[in-house]
Amino acid sequence: VEMMESGGGSVQAGGSLNLSCTAPGFPLDDYALAWYRQAPGKEREEVSCISFTGKITQHDDSVKGRFTISRDNGKNMFYLHMTSLKPEDSAMYYCAAVTRSECKTTIRNLHVMTPWGQGTQVTVSS
C-alpha cells in the first residue's frame, strides 16, 4: 500500500490549504483515517481523524475550529481542509489509515495500519 498525500504549499498566515490523500488499490473505506504532521526536530503528532462511518471527527486542540477532515469513500480519498493557518502549522503532513474502531472518542494513540508516505509540505509564513 502506498499513501499519497498532496495539496501542500507555501502560504501566508491566515491563508488556507486543502490536503488530499489517496491509496491506490487499498480500501480506505475499511478504516478510520487520520492526518499527522511532523515539524523539523519534533515528533510526528496527530492532527485530525475521522471515524469509519465519517460521522465523528477528532482534532488536536491546536487546530480545532480551523481544520476540517472529510472522506469520500466513492473516490477512495480523504481530505484536510486547513484555514486560518499559522506559522506553527508548518510541517510535513502525512495521512494514514487507522484501526476501524478508533477516532470515536479521542485522537490519541491511534493504531496506524499503513506505511508512511512521502508527505506533503505545508509552510506558513508570518
Side-chain angles (χ1 to χ4, degrees):
V1 55
E2 181 180 8
M3 305 301 287
M4 300 174 62
E5 304 91 349
S6 62
S10 297
V11 298
Q12 291 191 327
S16 300
L17 284 172
N18 293 308
L19 306 186
S20 299
C21 177
T22 189
F26 183 81
L28 292 176
D29 57 357
D30 279 350
Y31 298 86
L33 303 168
W35 285 96
Y36 289 74
R37 66 186 179 189
Q38 187 170 21
K42 295 188 177 181
E43 293 188 356
R44 193 169 353 229
E45 61 179 3
E46 307 94 338
V47 177
S48 301
C49 66
I50 186 167
S51 65
F52 166 69
T53 63
K55 294 181 179 180
I56 299 172
T57 61
Q58 305 284 350
H59 302 276
D60 184 79
D61 286 346
S62 65
V63 306
K64 281 181 180 176
R66 300 189 298 120
F67 289 13
T68 303
I69 185 170
S70 61
R71 63 190 299 163
D72 186 336
N73 290 342
K75 294 183 178 179
N76 203 45
M77 296 185 70
F78 67 109
Y79 310 95
L80 187 67
H81 179 53
M82 306 185 295
T83 65
S84 302
L85 283 161
K86 304 176 181 180
E88 51 265 43
D89 295 318
S90 297
M92 189 70 78
Y93 282 70
Y94 302 89
C95 60
V98 301
T99 307
R100 180 186 291 199
S101 61
E102 293 184 307
C103 191
K104 293 180 180 176
T105 59
T106 181
I107 194 175
R108 301 302 173 212
N109 301 314
L110 302 176
H111 292 83
V112 175
M113 305 299 289
T114 50
W116 298 110
Q118 299 282 343
T120 186
Q121 179 67 42
V122 172
T123 303
V124 185
S125 57
S126 58

